[in-house]
């Protein structure tokens, strides 16, 4: 087979209509073989003839989309120096746009013999390895354009491609659990009617199921174990792994955009699926181990790990940084996604030991004309020393606000002394973000996420119940700040059931009316339960899927969520672009926000530290908005009162005086979700009874 010189750029396999250019980086290699596979698995090897700027490359005419391939990299195998080249291992292209098949766990995938880590294993791994695939890069995007929904208008819905769709009765069985399933009209209609503006997909980069999980009959359901940073995961494709997953993913994005919803990807650039020094050789390890992985300086046979997964990507090396940036740009320019949520983002800021917000990765993102313009969300922690960095990311980033989650959970389970912290989180966490010029949109607010209890389980369990994971209930967070309302787990006790439903509505109402950007975990508004398991990373089954049939029992909760999202969308007072000041704004003589006792008087410093101070009225001044619309006109809104009662007793509130508003109307009540009560309006200075563990929202009529 004759191979032409080709070009060193772009990296990966690039089809141009007449053939395919192959290019792969490796400083460690002395020779690189390109391996092509026929449909029957027959392998043909050809040496890449050129090496330029540490990139090996060649061009093969008449190699077309659908061609399966891999690499064998020759070079030194000296783990003590960090070098692990082994040409007996078939390696995935780090820039593969699609991957076919998966890994069938066998000793041949490892570069040592089991039981003897110092040995050298030269068994051929090809029979057990996944294959890279040449893709067709052409797609009819039509009129698709970036939606660029402002963050202050954004409502994020965290979803799992399979878990969201695999059990939906209105989605055809052949596309359930796939990208096409998520793009099905039934799913799009549901999300659109709910009020979602962005779907945040849990990992869709090609990932690997750990051998340890497979041996237990489990899988890596969540997908935080990436091996292909450019390839859509093939298990989520109804077309299989021959390259059609790329077209299917693009069609999904196009359909969601057409419905006005953005697509955000949960991405895992902090580590790969190759694990520690005892892990398999699947791709990066065998191509250029010290370029792609952070190694222990004193002994390069070991990996520096701040992720808890066995390795950390080497963000001190130009090639790892190029891989990350090329991947991000590819997903924006070619796949049309609208943003990224970075898993364990603090690990990307560790050029040395400490987390550094001035690390090269952030510099590259900030100056990149493509990546800097999409939504950037950090999970602001990792497992290393000093890894908890909430509030510590650069100005153009937003962050999962773990302090918001903890504070809101504590408040609604009646934890004393939580009021001041709750007030900060409810108003956008200015203590975390204001100093460096950021605004409330820097805070991605959430009460639950994929990691931890669902909303239903948060109010149903005091303890985790993770025995199904096969780790003796040792995995998962033990301090969940949850409250089971009196009984652990399922119950027919009507009083407990009503309390749990009210608590769910309390959490959702607080989340959706807080300043910042709300994120709902998929199925929370449908009453989804994981039976008390707060770590279903390995559970691919009904326990982790949305049960659409059972969701009909929670129509009241779903409708309540929808109405709250409508309220948020209609009233800019709930999505301010600037922090509250506590001072008069605009033409109003009243402050933009006021904190009142249950008797209607302004709270004192002493009130913030008393048990009775747990109940409060929050006044939001609709005439005190500092923002202007697109034409520069002043924005005015209705004013609102929010009456919070997290106590285990009914409380009578006195509405504030006429200066705040003469007549108030109840627009939401977590104790009366359908607003079936007769008395919907109340006058200034009158009494308003608020049921125990509930929240009442009132709008100023005049």
């Amino acid at each position: 087979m004759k191979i032409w010189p080709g070009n060193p750029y772009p990296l990966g396999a690039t089809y141009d209509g007449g053939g395919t250019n192959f290019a792969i980086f490796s400083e460690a290699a002395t020779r690189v073989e390109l391996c092509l596979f026929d449909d029957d698995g027959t392998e043909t090897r050809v040496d890449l003839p050129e090496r330029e700027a540490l990139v090996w490359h060649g061009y093969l005419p008449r190699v077309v989309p659908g061609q399966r391939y891999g690499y064998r990299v020759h070079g030194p195998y000296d783990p003590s120096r960090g070098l692990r080249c082994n040409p007996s291992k078939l390696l995935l292209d780090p820039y593969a746009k699609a991957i076919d098949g998966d890994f069938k766990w066998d000793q041949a995938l490892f570069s040592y013999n089991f039981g003897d880590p110092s040995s050298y294993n030269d068994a051929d791994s090809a029979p057990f390895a996944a294959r890279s695939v040449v893709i067709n890069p052409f797609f009819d995007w039509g009129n698709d354009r970036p939606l660029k929904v402002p963050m202050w208008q954004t409502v994020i819905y965290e979803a799992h491609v399979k878990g969201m769709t695999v059990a939906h009765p209105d989605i055809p069985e052949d596309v359930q659990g796939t990208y096409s399933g998520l793009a099905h009209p039934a799913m799009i209609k549901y999300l659109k009617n709910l009020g979602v503006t962005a779907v945040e997909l849990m990992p869709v980069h090609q990932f690997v199921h750990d051998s340890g999980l497979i041996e237990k009959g489990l899988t890596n359901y969540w997908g935080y174990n990436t091996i292909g940073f450019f390839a859509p995961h093939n298990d989520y494709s109804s077309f299989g792994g021959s390259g059609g997953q790329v077209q299917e993913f693009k069609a999904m994005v196009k359909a969601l955009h057409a419905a006005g919803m953005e697509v955000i990807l949960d991405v895992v650039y902090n580590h790969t699926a190759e694990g520690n020094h005892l892990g398999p050789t699947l791709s990066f390890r065998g191509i250029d181990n010290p370029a792609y992985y952070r190694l222990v300086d004193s002994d390069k046979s070991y990996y520096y790990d701040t992720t808890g997964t066995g390795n950390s990507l080497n963000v001190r090396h130009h090639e790892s940084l190029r891989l990350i940036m090329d991947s991000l740009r590819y997903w924006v320019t070619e796949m049309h996604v609208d943003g990224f949520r970075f898993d364990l983002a603090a690990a990307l800021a560790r050029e040395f030991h400490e987390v550094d917000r001035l690390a090269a990765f952030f510099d590259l993102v900030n100056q990149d004309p493509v990546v800097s313009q999409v939504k950037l969300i950090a999970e602001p922690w990792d497992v290393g020393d000093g890894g908890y960095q909430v509030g510590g990311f650069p100005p153009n980033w937003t962050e999962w606000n773990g302090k918001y989650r903890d504070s809101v959970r504590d408040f609604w389970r009646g934890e004393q002394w939580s009021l001041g912290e709750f007030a900060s989180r409810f108003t956008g966490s200015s203590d975390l973000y204001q100093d460096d010029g950021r605004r409330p949109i820097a805070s991605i607010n959430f009460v639950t996420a994929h990691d931890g209890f669902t909303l239903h389980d948060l109010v149903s369990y005091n303890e985790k119940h993770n025995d199904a994971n096969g780790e003796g209930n040792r995995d998962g967070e033990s301090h969940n700040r949850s409250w089971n309302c009196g009984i652990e787990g399922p119950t027919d006790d009507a009083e407990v059931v009503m309390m749990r439903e009210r608590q769910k509505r309390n959490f959702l109402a607080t989340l959706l009316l807080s300043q910042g950007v709300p994120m709902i975990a998929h199925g929370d508004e449908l009453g989804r339960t994981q039976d008390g398991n707060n770590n279903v990373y390995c559970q691919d089954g009904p326990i982790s899927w949305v049960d659409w049939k059972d969701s009909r029992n929670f129509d009241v909760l779903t409708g309540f969520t929808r109405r709250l999202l409508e309220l948020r969308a209609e009233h800019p007072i709930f999505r301010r672009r600037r922090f509250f000041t506590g001072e008069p704004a605009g033409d109003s003589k009243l402050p933009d926000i006021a904190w009142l006792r249950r008797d209607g008087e302004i709270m004192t410093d002493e009130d913030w530290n008393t048990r009775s101070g747990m109940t409060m009225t929050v006044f939001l001044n609709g005439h005190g908005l500092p923002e202007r619309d697109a034409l520069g006109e002043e924005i005015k809104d209705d004013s609102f009162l929010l009456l919070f009662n997290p106590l285990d007793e009914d409380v009578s509130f006195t509405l504030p005086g006429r200066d705040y508003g003469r007549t108030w109307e109840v627009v939401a009540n977590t104790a009366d979700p359908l607003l079936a009560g007769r008395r919907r309006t109340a006058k200034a200075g009158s009494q308003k009874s608020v049921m125990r563990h509930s929240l009442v929202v009132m709008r100023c009529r005049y």
Side-chain angles (χ1 to χ4, degrees):
M1 179 179 290
K2 186 175 182 180
I3 187 168
W4 301 352
N7 297 296
Y9 186 84
L11 291 171
T14 307
Y15 174 67
D16 63 6
T20 301
N21 189 79
F22 294 88
I24 181 173
F25 164 88
S26 180
E27 183 177 4
T30 58
R31 175 189 171 202
V32 176
E33 290 180 289
L34 171 65
C35 308
L36 305 177
F37 291 87
D38 297 339
D39 290 341
D40 62 3
T42 301
E43 179 181 354
T44 301
R45 303 184 189 181
V46 56
D47 280 21
L48 291 181
E50 299 291 332
R51 185 185 191 223
E52 182 178 342
L54 306 180
V55 174
W56 300 77
H57 57 92
Y59 180 91
L60 285 174
R62 294 183 296 281
V63 167
V64 298
Q67 174 66 60
R68 294 161 178 81
Y69 72 99
Y71 290 108
R72 296 182 186 273
V73 175
H74 299 255
Y77 184 83
D78 185 355
S80 66
R81 295 167 52 211
L83 302 172
R84 295 179 179 268
C85 297
N86 186 338
S88 66
K89 309 308 170 189
L90 182 72
L91 305 175
L92 288 174
D93 182 356
Y95 278 71
K97 306 304 189 301
I99 293 172
D100 183 39
D102 53 19
F103 292 95
K104 301 174 180 62
W105 290 108
D106 186 271
Q107 182 172 265
L109 292 170
F110 296 75
S111 286
Y112 65 93
N113 298 305
F114 291 166
D116 186 6
S118 64
S119 62
Y120 181 79
N121 181 347
D122 60 1
D124 184 10
S125 70
F128 311 98
R131 313 278 197 260
S132 306
V133 182
V134 178
I135 69 156
N136 178 0
F138 308 112
F139 181 78
D140 181 11
W141 282 105
N143 295 323
D144 187 77
R145 295 290 185 276
L147 298 179
K148 293 189 178 298
V149 177
M151 284 300 289
W152 48 273
Q153 292 181 349
T154 295
V155 176
I156 298 173
Y157 192 87
E158 186 193 32
H160 188 283
V161 171
K162 183 174 184 179
M164 189 70 185
T165 63
V166 70
H168 198 297
D170 296 331
I171 296 177
E173 187 174 345
D174 60 334
V175 297
Q176 288 178 340
T178 69
Y179 304 120
S180 294
L182 199 60
H184 190 273
M187 186 57 61
I188 287 180
K189 180 181 179 181
Y190 173 78
L191 293 170
K192 187 70 175 175
N193 288 344
L194 187 63
V196 170
T197 71
V199 179
E200 180 178 304
L201 298 180
M202 291 175 64
V204 296
H205 288 173
Q206 186 71 38
F207 60 84
V208 174
H209 298 291
D210 307 70
S211 59
L213 292 176
I214 297 296
E215 291 169 0
K216 296 178 182 178
L218 303 171
T219 65
N220 198 321
Y221 173 69
W222 281 351
Y224 292 91
N225 204 33
T226 305
I227 197 62
F229 293 105
F230 294 79
H233 189 62
N234 53 29
D235 281 347
Y236 298 154
S237 173
S238 59
F239 292 102
S242 60
Q245 63 262 51
V246 178
Q247 305 292 315
E248 187 173 356
F249 184 92
K250 289 178 177 179
M252 176 197 71
V253 173
K254 184 178 179 180
L256 287 167
H257 280 180
M261 285 178 282
E262 295 184 306
V263 178
I264 299 171
L265 300 188
D266 192 339
V267 290
V268 191
Y269 292 110
N270 53 73
H271 73 280
T272 79
E274 291 185 299
N276 62 15
H277 62 289
L278 299 178
T281 299
L282 310 177
S283 179
F284 309 92
R285 191 195 308 276
I287 294 170
D288 198 319
N289 190 54
Y292 285 116
Y293 292 119
R294 181 87 179 266
L295 306 177
V296 176
D297 292 334
S298 59
D299 187 347
K300 295 185 183 300
S301 62
Y302 295 98
Y303 293 78
Y304 186 86
D305 177 20
T306 60
T307 65
T309 63
N311 65 59
S312 298
L313 219 58
N314 187 5
V315 292
R316 295 191 294 183
H317 195 283
H318 61 83
E319 197 55 36
S320 286
L321 289 170
R322 175 161 72 162
L323 173 80
I324 295 171
M325 295 306 300
D326 285 352
S327 171
L328 291 170
R329 276 191 296 269
Y330 174 79
W331 287 96
V332 175
T333 59
E334 298 298 320
M335 308 296 264
H336 284 209
V337 305
D338 305 281
F340 304 95
R341 177 265 187 189
F342 292 81
D343 178 65
L344 300 181
L348 298 173
R350 292 182 185 271
E351 288 189 0
F352 297 98
H353 177 72
E354 296 82 9
V355 177
D356 183 0
R357 63 181 291 175
L358 300 179
F361 169 70
F362 297 116
D363 288 342
L364 289 172
V365 168
N366 291 346
Q367 61 80 39
D368 190 279
V370 173
V371 180
S372 65
Q373 299 307 302
V374 301
K375 291 178 170 63
L376 301 172
I377 304 170
E379 181 185 35
W381 50 78
D382 64 12
V383 300
D385 292 340
Y388 195 76
Q389 292 288 317
V390 173
F393 279 72
N396 62 329
W397 285 70
T398 61
E399 303 175 18
W400 270 27
N401 192 342
K403 292 186 177 182
Y404 178 94
R405 171 200 59 209
D406 297 346
S407 173
V408 172
R409 289 186 180 191
D410 280 346
F411 178 78
W412 280 114
R413 67 188 181 123
E415 285 292 297
Q416 198 167 359
W417 321 122
S418 63
L419 188 58
E421 175 80 5
F422 174 80
S424 293
R425 304 303 152 237
F426 180 74
T427 54
S429 297
S430 60
D431 58 321
L432 299 177
Y433 305 116
Q434 191 170 24
D435 285 350
D436 57 6
R438 287 194 281 177
R439 296 185 176 183
I441 58 170
S443 178
I444 305 297
N445 299 330
F446 66 103
V447 176
T448 61
H450 67 273
D451 189 2
F453 280 146
T454 66
L455 183 61
H456 180 89
D457 292 354
L458 184 67
V459 301
S460 303
Y461 295 91
N462 284 349
E463 308 296 335
K464 64 183 180 181
H465 298 267
N466 297 0
D467 293 304
N469 297 351
E471 299 180 40
N473 204 36
R474 293 185 299 274
D475 62 303
E477 175 62 54
S478 296
H479 182 46
N480 294 283
R481 292 179 160 90
S482 59
W483 176 45
N484 63 16
C485 300
I487 297 176
E488 186 76 356
T491 180
D492 294 327
D493 186 304
E495 186 68 25
V496 171
V497 170
M498 285 192 296
M499 175 66 76
R500 289 176 176 178
E501 292 304 306
R502 191 155 69 245
Q503 283 288 80
K504 290 183 201 176
R505 295 190 291 268
N506 287 334
F507 282 122
L508 285 168
T510 303
L511 172 66
L512 299 179
L513 301 181
S514 292
Q515 304 301 320
V517 180
M519 184 186 77
I520 301 171
H522 73 301
D524 272 354
E525 79 287 1
L526 299 167
R528 188 174 80 87
T529 179
Q530 294 171 174
D531 299 331
N533 191 325
N534 71 355
N535 191 32
V536 296
Y537 77 101
C538 57
Q539 299 291 335
D540 186 2
I543 191 175
S544 58
W545 302 341
V546 174
D547 184 349
W548 290 94
K549 292 181 180 178
D550 186 62
S551 69
R552 296 167 185 167
N553 297 323
F554 297 95
D555 284 347
V556 171
L557 181 64
T558 308
F560 183 78
T561 306
R562 184 184 303 115
R563 289 189 294 274
L564 279 170
L565 283 170
E566 289 174 354
L567 186 68
R568 180 182 180 87
E570 292 169 357
H571 293 283
I573 189 66
F574 296 118
R575 41 188 174 82
R576 287 170 54 104
R577 288 174 252 171
R578 290 175 174 82
F579 289 109
F580 292 105
T581 65
E583 301 294 330
D587 60 2
S588 175
K589 296 180 181 179
L590 295 171
D592 52 10
I593 188 171
W595 305 87
L596 310 174
R597 298 189 307 237
R598 66 175 73 173
D599 64 3
E601 299 299 322
I602 295 291
M603 290 181 65
T604 65
D605 290 344
E606 183 180 355
D607 293 325
W608 288 94
N609 297 308
T610 63
R611 178 69 177 170
S612 63
M614 290 290 290
T615 60
M616 64 178 174
T617 298
V618 181
F619 168 73
L620 301 180
N621 188 350
H623 295 278
L625 292 169
E627 292 88 19
R628 294 184 179 273
D629 63 19
L631 299 178
E633 299 297 324
E634 187 177 4
I635 296 175
K636 289 190 177 182
D637 193 11
D638 297 322
S639 295
F640 285 83
L641 294 177
L642 288 82
L643 284 59
F644 288 91
N645 180 18
L647 302 181
D648 194 29
E649 59 190 53
D650 296 353
V651 173
S652 179
F653 283 75
T654 301
L655 300 188
R658 292 169 62 91
D659 288 346
Y660 291 88
R662 289 180 290 175
T663 302
W664 299 87
E665 176 187 25
V666 175
V667 294
N669 185 347
T670 60
D672 181 16
L674 300 179
L675 294 180
R678 293 181 180 178
R679 187 166 176 240
R680 293 278 300 278
T681 61
K683 293 184 178 181
S686 65
Q687 299 295 303
K688 176 63 181 176
S689 179
V690 178
M691 186 179 289
R692 65 192 184 110
H693 301 290
S694 70
L695 164 63
V696 174
V697 182
M698 306 185 77
R699 179 173 64 91
C700 183
R701 289 283 300 274
Y702 50 85

